Amino acid sequence: MIVDAMSKRMIALTLIFLAGTEVRAFEEPRLNQMQVIGTHNSYKLAPHSELMKLVSLTTKRLAESIDYSHRPLPEQFGRLGVRQIELDVFLDPAGGLFSKPSSRTMLMNLGRDPGPDPNADGVLDKPGLKVLHVQDVDYATTVPTFEMALRQIRDWSAQHPTHVPILVLVELKDAAVTGLPTRPVPFDKAAIETVDAAIDTVFDRAAIFTPDDLRGTFETLPEAIAKKGWPELKSVRGKVFFALDNEGRLRDLYLEGHTNLKERRLFVTAPADDHPAAAFFKINDPVRDFDRIRKAVEAGFIVRTRADADTRQARSKDTTQRDKALASGAQFVSTDYPEPRLEWSEYRVEFDNRMIARTNPVSGRSLSTGPLE
């Protein structure tokens, strides 16, 4: 057998390593000891070119900030290895609230191409929870309803039963926007209940990981984390879990009557580390809050942060926020660029060797692990 010089060197280094080092078996990390890439506003499609021109007349910066798109959810999971997504959810109890966006109507009245009809198949006329970014303006989406999104997630997950768990971040949106005629329906306590109900309608209980699963027999989530810890990855592979993006009023409504998230489906960003519901935190700025994120991760919490925002990093090829996000130990690092926008730059967010998941650089640094895919 012919062995080249490089191979001989590698063999020699391996023998030295084995002779002087105790060989450790690979360890399966816990859920909080991994790190994955996610996407922000994962359903979103960039507005049609004529609509972008219209928005630019108001403010160029706003137009630039919404000029991004994502692949359909199954492609993000399968082709890009994304393991965290975000869905913006609006109430539409009567149906039809978002069927005729005002900016599209304006373009038609001006005799300009309005782009694809978001309600071509009538899906927006039906009552239910809808998924879009900004009413009347940034409404193009790959999944117009929450139920459709949940079914796509469920079906892909079922077809890949050993996948690293997928986190679905849910942002409830009910704010009116100055100058836009469509006024969202506010979420009240009864409306918030429909979010959990929708999840239960689509997913079997065994297919999701919930606050109850983490808490077990303990009274609070922090107590469960301190005394039992998050589950080993092998026990939650193939599962999906959910977290509420909102804080303030909507978070408090969701916690009302469920202080430790008993029987709830979503984790939340709790008001404090010692709150009975504290387990997950959304901390979006890894530059300003780098130390805060590391401290939370070291304390056993799961954190989602963002590598970029408003297309700025992709346009400038500035990797500062991305690098801070990855080094912070946040388990879920969200981006609009799991693949680059090459007409701007080569900026993207991915791990070396296109890994889907890696050992967490903070909470998993003591582990000896193999591939996490």
Side-chain angles (χ1 to χ4, degrees), residues 38-49 51-52 55 61-76 80 82 84-90 103 116 118 130-145 148-149 152 169 171 173 304 306 308-312 315 334-339 341 344:
T39 52
H40 159 254
N41 291 343
S42 313
Y43 55 86
K44 189 175 138 34
L45 296 172
H48 184 262
S49 57
L51 178 50
M52 287 293 290
V55 176
R61 188 70 199 100
L62 173 61
E64 289 180 347
S65 74
I66 59 176
D67 186 14
Y68 62 93
S69 297
H70 287 295
R71 292 179 181 272
L73 299 180
E75 287 188 33
Q76 292 185 48
L80 303 178
V82 164
Q84 176 260 306
I85 63 169
E86 179 183 358
L87 302 172
D88 289 345
V89 177
F90 290 77
S103 60
K130 302 302 194 313
V131 176
L132 64 150
H133 189 215
V134 181
Q135 64 271 24
D136 291 317
V137 176
D138 196 16
Y139 50 80
T141 173
T142 61
V143 280
T145 73
M148 182 183 297
Q152 288 187 11
L169 198 62
E171 181 175 359
K173 303 188 81 168
R304 177 266 195 172
R306 292 183 64 178
D308 42 71
D310 300 329
T311 76
R312 294 191 302 268
R315 294 176 188 274
S334 181
T335 180
D336 289 322
Y337 301 96
E339 49 191 345
R341 182 86 174 257
W344 295 343

Side-chain angles (χ1 to χ4, degrees), residues 207-277:
I208 59 176
F209 178 73
T210 72
D212 286 340
D213 296 324
L214 175 61
R215 189 185 326 96
T217 59
F218 296 100
E219 183 63 26
T220 71
L221 293 178
E223 184 183 6
I225 291 170
K227 296 181 178 178
K228 179 184 65 172
W230 292 85
E232 288 187 344
L233 187 56
K234 63 185 177 184
S235 69
V236 287
R237 284 183 176 274
K239 290 182 181 286
V240 176
F241 68 118
F242 297 83
L244 186 67
D245 183 89
N246 306 81
E247 299 178 58
R249 177 182 68 87
L250 292 174
R251 186 268 318 279
D252 294 345
L253 269 179
Y254 191 74
L255 284 171
E256 192 173 294
H258 303 264
T259 306
N260 64 355
L261 291 176
K262 183 178 181 180
E263 299 178 348
R264 284 303 199 191
R265 296 295 177 255
L266 283 71
F267 291 87
V268 303
T269 290
D273 292 0
D274 58 354
H275 187 279

